[in-house]
């Protein structure tokens, strides 16, 4: 009987939000698989008694396969994110993101997993001429990371068509929210903005700050994952996981300052290699096929996130 859920990368920022949402929905058995390379056990602190935690690397078939066997759904979040990290560490990030995903899909197939929901990335689109970005557009990855995530998506789709493994891919659009680690140079820009404003230090914006992103609140992404786990007739498909809006980095930093009631002019540095200029999701397919409707406006998400960093995030 398929009775359990697996979340790879479940000690990470997005994975741990999926774990929480599963628990809220009454899931009985949740298995977290995490190597703790970027994830942290503290992200699971208050739910630790309600889940099974396994420190394991998705590249290790022998370790991972028994944990997946017979799972109802595997949410595959484990990855080494970051465009610049993939440029600086191409072998390691390829190994985890591409080979790790391949290994995981093999284990899911052999273990007769009910469905794999794969964390894909909006970076697959690259610099499309048209906004918003819709799933029918040809992908155009600009960085190793974008290519890794796209390869995983293609593998998921091929495992569906060739082996009959039920898979669905969700292209996340710049997810932010509580528990995003702000401490690394590879951290998501909004977590860096939160740290900067609370420490009253100017952030460095790469380029002119007029690049834009469809920042998406982590709880909306977790909700989308649960919908994708249940939707019918979606196997082998890819959906955008975005909010549908778009804000520039200058606009986002202005909002952070407004919420905090401070004025700290940002510093500006050279543009970052592999950076996409504009990003915005067309959300129609996810709404139609998965029944997804994002709940959090950017300002509401930012207020909640800042409150978390202030009270719980140790800043
Ligand atoms: C990409 C994907 C995103 C997700 C993520 C995982 C796109 C459009 N988005 O995010 O969906 O998969 O990768 O890592 O490809 N920046 C600064 N100052 C800083 C840090 C960043 O200005 O201190 C800029 C950066 O140059 C970029 C923007 O902020 O223009 C967002 O950068 P990011 O690293 O937060 O995310 P991004 O867009 O590479």
């Amino acid at each position: 009987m398929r009775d359990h859920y697996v979340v790879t990368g479940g000690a990470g920022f997005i994975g741990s939000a999926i774990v929480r949402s599963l628990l809220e929905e009454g899931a009985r058995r949740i298995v977290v698989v995490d190597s703790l390379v970027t994830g942290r056990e503290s992200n699971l602190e208050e739910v630790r008694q309600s889940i099974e935690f396994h420190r394991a690397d998705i590249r290790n078939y022998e370790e991972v396969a028994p944990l997946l066997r017979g799972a109802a759904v595997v949410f595959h979040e484990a990855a080494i994110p970051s465009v610049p990290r993939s440029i600086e560490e191409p072998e390691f990030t390829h190994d985890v993101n591409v080979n790790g995903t391949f290994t995981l899909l093999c284990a899911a197939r052999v273990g007769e997993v009910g469905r794999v929901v794969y964390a894909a990335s909006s970076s697959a689109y690259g610099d499309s001429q048209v906004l918003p970005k819709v799933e029918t557009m040809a992908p155009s990855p600009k960085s190793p990371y974008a290519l890794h995530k796209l390869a995983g998506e293609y593998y998921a789709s091929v495992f569906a068509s060739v082996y009959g493994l039920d898979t669905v891919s969700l292209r996340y659009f710049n997810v932010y929210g509580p528990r995003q680690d702000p401490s690394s140079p590879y951290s998501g820009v909004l977590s860096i903005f939160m740290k900067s404003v609370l420490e009253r230090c100017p952030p460095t914006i790469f380029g002119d700050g007029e690049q834009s992103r469809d920042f998406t609140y982590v709880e909306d992404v977790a909700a989308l994952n649960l919908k994708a786990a249940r939707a019918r007739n979606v196997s082998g498909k890819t959906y955008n996981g975005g909010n549908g809006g778009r804000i520039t980095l200058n606009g986002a930093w202005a909002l952070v300052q407004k919420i905090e009631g401070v004025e700290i002019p940002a510093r500006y540095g050279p543009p970052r290699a592999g950076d996409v200029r504009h990003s915005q999701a067309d959300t129609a397919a996810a709404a139609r096929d998965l029944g997804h409707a994002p709940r959090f406006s950017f300002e509401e998400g930012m207020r909640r996130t800042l409150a978390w960093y202030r009270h719980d995030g140790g800043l």
Side-chain angles (χ1 to χ4, degrees):
M1 200 185 88
R2 291 184 174 133
D3 69 341
H4 72 288
Y5 296 94
V6 175
V7 185
T8 72
F13 151 60
I14 300 175
S16 65
I18 294 173
V19 168
R20 277 185 187 78
S21 295
L22 283 168
L23 284 170
E24 275 161 26
E25 286 223 333
R28 288 219 208 108
R29 187 169 167 228
I30 301 172
V31 174
V32 167
V33 179
D34 203 301
S35 67
L36 300 181
V37 169
T38 60
R40 292 187 293 191
E41 275 190 275
S42 59
N43 284 337
L44 294 168
E45 211 164 16
E46 83 282 11
V47 296
R48 190 66 186 78
Q49 300 311 316
S50 317
I51 60 157
E52 276 173 46
F53 177 80
H54 296 268
R55 185 171 185 171
D57 192 309
I58 51 164
R59 292 170 293 175
N60 187 331
Y61 184 90
E62 277 69 35
E63 268 179 23
V64 167
L67 304 172
L68 262 61
R69 194 171 300 131
V73 182
V74 174
F75 298 91
H76 178 34
E77 313 303 306
I80 303 294
S82 167
V83 167
R85 185 163 187 180
S86 76
I87 293 172
E88 275 152 44
E89 299 178 53
E91 292 94 352
F92 170 60
T93 56
H94 174 94
D95 197 29
V96 175
N97 295 343
V98 181
N99 298 336
T101 294
F102 175 72
T103 304
L104 183 112
L105 289 169
C106 291
R109 174 195 166 217
V110 171
E112 297 185 359
V113 163
R115 177 170 291 179
V116 176
V117 182
Y118 168 67
S121 168
S122 67
S123 57
Y125 288 110
D127 281 322
S128 65
Q129 295 301 309
V130 179
L131 294 174
K133 302 187 185 199
V134 63
E135 293 88 339
T136 49
M137 284 176 175
S140 180
K142 284 184 73 180
S143 64
Y145 170 76
L147 180 55
H148 302 162
K149 283 277 137 183
L150 182 61
E153 209 182 277
Y154 283 156
Y155 258 129
S157 174
V158 165
F159 268 64
S161 59
V162 172
Y163 301 120
L165 176 69
D166 194 316
T167 67
V168 57
S169 295
L170 304 173
R171 284 184 180 164
Y172 299 162
F173 279 69
N174 289 74
V175 186
Y176 72 100
R179 298 182 186 79
Q180 189 167 29
D181 177 9
S183 66
S184 135
Y186 303 124
S187 298
V189 69
L190 293 186
S191 71
I192 293 173
F193 280 4
M194 297 294 165
K195 188 171 189 298
S196 300
V197 82
L198 291 175
E199 292 176 351
R200 304 291 190 259
C201 282
T204 300
I205 291 179
F206 302 135
D208 63 5
E210 287 305 298
Q211 65 267 52
S212 60
R213 294 290 182 270
D214 182 355
F215 291 110
T216 303
Y217 192 59
V218 65
E219 283 185 34
D220 278 330
V221 169
L224 172 65
N225 271 273
L226 267 51
K227 292 257 167 69
R230 260 175 235 123
R232 287 166 187 268
N233 302 321
V234 294
S235 187
K237 294 194 179 157
T238 293
Y239 293 94
N240 286 341
N243 196 290
R246 183 165 77 89
I247 184 162
T248 64
L249 291 193
N250 289 329
W253 177 240
L255 177 66
V256 172
Q257 293 173 86
K258 186 189 99 176
I259 295 172
E260 186 66 5
V262 294
E263 230 175 89
I264 309 170
R267 293 197 191 108
Y268 288 83
R272 209 174 66 175
D275 228 18
V276 166
R277 185 68 178 162
H278 298 298
S279 183
Q280 182 180 17
D282 184 310
T283 56
R288 184 192 63 223
D289 293 359
L290 309 178
H292 179 57
R295 288 173 48 220
F296 295 92
S297 70
F298 184 57
E299 179 154 353
E300 176 63 17
M302 290 293 273
R303 286 186 185 279
R304 286 172 181 246
T305 306
L306 191 57
W308 184 85
Y309 280 107
R310 191 192 318 281
H311 299 296
D312 305 300
L315 293 176

